[in-house]
Amino acid sequence: MYRAPVEDIAFTLKHVAGMKSALDAGTFGDLGEDLVDAVLGEAGRFATEEVAPLYKIGDEHGAVLKDAAVTTPPGWKELYRRWIDGGWNALSGPEEYGGQALPTMLGVAALEMWNSAAMAFGIGPTLTMGAVEALDKHASEDLKAKYLAKLVSGEWMGTMNLTEPQAGSDLAALRARAEPAGDGTYRIFGQKIFITYGEHDFTDNIIHLVLARLPDAPAGTRGISLFLVPKFFVDEDGSLGARNDVFCSGLEHKLGIHASPTCTMIYGDGFQGARPGAVGWLIGEENKGLACMFTMMNNARLAVGMQGVAVAEAATQKAIAYANERRQGKAADYAGAGMAPIVHHPDVQRNLLTMKALTQIARAISYSCAHAIDMARVSDGGQAAHWRDRANLLTPLAKAFSTDVGVEVASLGVQVHGGMGFIEETGAAAFYRDARIAPIYEGTNGIQAIDLVTRKLPLGGGEHVHGFIGELAAVANAVRTSNLQGFGRTADALDAALGDLTQATRFLQKLSADGRMEEALAGATPYLRLISLAAGGACLARGALADQGRIALCRFFAENLLGEARALRERIIDGAESLAAAGKTLISA
């Protein structure tokens, strides 16, 4: 069973992602390492002892819908209550509404542990935290006063309602409509699908953030507004009133995360005899809802990246434990009697080390993204702009690369288990099933790659990314001049990968400048992996320089996996023409 890797998490936060230098500088006020360690330790205990034991129950039982009400698996409602009683939902929430206002870095580290223990549990509060941020930044003071405190505490949960049957990634196709009621409220009509925790029994109220169009709205994404639609109305004294005209009409039967209710939500259908039209309140300005929702979506993208890290960590732990127990065949380095534990076989070692390395670099990239978010919040002027650009650059890496890693590592975990990995009772397959959704939602990973190439490479006049590459090159140089034993050809491998990255970056920037966007987009997905691998190699090296016990894994990654960078560069620079030619054969007349 999963055990939270508190020491690895703390080390990565402090010595790889940048938290220690920020703490030493007093960046976060009175927050010190003692409190950080205490928070991480208690989060690890709760994840290990409270959440993880209910994972299998959730996977096997799932969420159940009856008469428009959802029941979560046995023990899950009580688990959620213990979780919010521990203050975990409020960890990084705004202080004026009862939050602890701790750094994002601590929040995402805890989020990793909840999701490793049970991704179907950890995903629910993720949306609530995103709703808190969106309301805090964009809602009226009246809405904040009425809803934020209970969302911050977790007494109520929030959702994000974007997708419709005809409108997935293309939000311009949204049809849900909002009609002004003349009293400052709006009546919402429409159907939303794939709504995570849209209905459940964790809390007695659910606050939906819903995208819809006003009658006179401009076409496309410029005509989308954002509305707050509660399941139950809230009276002036804060008590719950009548039921709003919104309900769950169906649950999706999913490949994984079975305990997480993925709902079809109906707005304005006259539920239980109500006057048709779900009552909603505008968040922000009319026709500018997408900008408000992107606050929540960017929060969710980093959180989804942490789900990839989380599943990879859990799958790696299970695979290493199994490899030390399972005996098969002979191994040259095994001196014991009988068959050797399979961990002694080089191919199994390669798989396990690949899992460990990919998990660690995904964690480091995601925590570094959180660090940039924190630094942007506490900095001024040019420094704030620098850190905002850094957070924007790293967000698609954190979301896409980490979730790709989650699937890749979970698949390798099944492989390590052999035939037993394909059987549900071992639990290895469950991680693969859970992980597979993460590269899809909150903007598919292909969309993240497009965002990286079209919006993030131009940051700072196109120079911010090169400054980032320069920082990675400094790590490679530090390895070369360290005189530490065991690094092997790590510095050379990092230099080569960073050279490939620089060449690919300038190539894509020139294509964009010349208006050759189809060619640039053909290289977007391999570019995202290339920059992530190069950054990840530098992160492993940074950690190894701080702790020599980490040198062996760093060298393994550099000499066995980082060579992929050259092939990715070739795909980016030379692959567009063949992709376009072959792509035409797929298009029906």
Side-chain angles (χ1 to χ4, degrees), residues 19-20 82 94 125 143 199 241 354 366 384 403 455 485 513-514 529:
M19 176 178 268
K20 189 176 190 312
R82 296 194 299 274
L143 289 180
E199 171 63 27
T354 299
S366 298
T403 55
R455 296 180 180 177
Q485 298 299 309
D514 293 344
R529 185 167 178 89

Side-chain angles (χ1 to χ4, degrees), residues 45-54 79 82:
R45 185 206 65 77
F46 192 95
T48 301
E49 299 178 8
E50 304 272 356
V51 184
L54 291 181
L79 169 66
R82 296 194 299 274

Side-chain angles (χ1 to χ4, degrees), residues 316 351-363 401 405 409 536-537 540 553-554 556-558 561:
T316 299
N351 281 331
L352 294 173
L353 290 168
T354 299
M355 295 170 75
K356 281 179 64 70
L358 290 176
T359 300
Q360 289 196 19
I361 67 175
R363 176 183 289 132
F401 179 72
V405 162
V409 169
L540 285 179
L553 184 65
C554 174
F556 165 81
F557 177 80
L561 302 179

Side-chain angles (χ1 to χ4, degrees), residues 70 88 95 112 115 127 271 281 293 300 307 309 313 319 352 369 401 444-445 479 505 554 559 588:
V70 169
W88 296 112
E95 200 167 8
E112 176 190 330
N115 281 278
L127 276 302
F271 180 64
W281 285 262
M293 184 61 86
Q307 292 172 358
V309 176
E313 173 63 37
L352 294 173
C369 181
F401 179 72
T444 65
N445 286 359
V479 170
T505 301
C554 174
E559 296 184 2
S588 300

Side-chain angles (χ1 to χ4, degrees), residues 7 35 43 63 97 120 135 140 205 238 244 284-285 319 335 351 391-392 395 401 451 474 484 497 510 512:
E7 289 187 8
L35 180 55
Y97 297 101
L135 291 175
S140 67
N205 204 6
N244 205 350
E285 299 179 36
N351 281 331
N392 286 331
T395 293
F401 179 72
D451 175 63
L484 294 174
K510 187 174 190 310
S512 297

Side-chain angles (χ1 to χ4, degrees), residues 119-156:
M119 180 173 159
F121 177 81
I123 191 176
T126 295
L127 276 302
T128 303
M129 296 169 189
V132 166
E133 186 171 357
L135 291 175
D136 189 38
K137 289 189 177 180
H138 302 290
S140 67
E141 293 303 317
D142 287 345
L143 289 180
K144 291 180 185 180
K146 183 170 282 191
Y147 293 99
L148 265 182
K150 290 189 177 181
L151 284 169
V152 168
S153 71
E155 182 178 344
W156 296 343

Side-chain angles (χ1 to χ4, degrees), residues 28 32 38 47 49 80 196 342 363 384 472 538-539:
F28 305 121
E49 299 178 8
Y80 179 76
T196 298
I342 63 173
R363 176 183 289 132
L472 305 180
C539 286

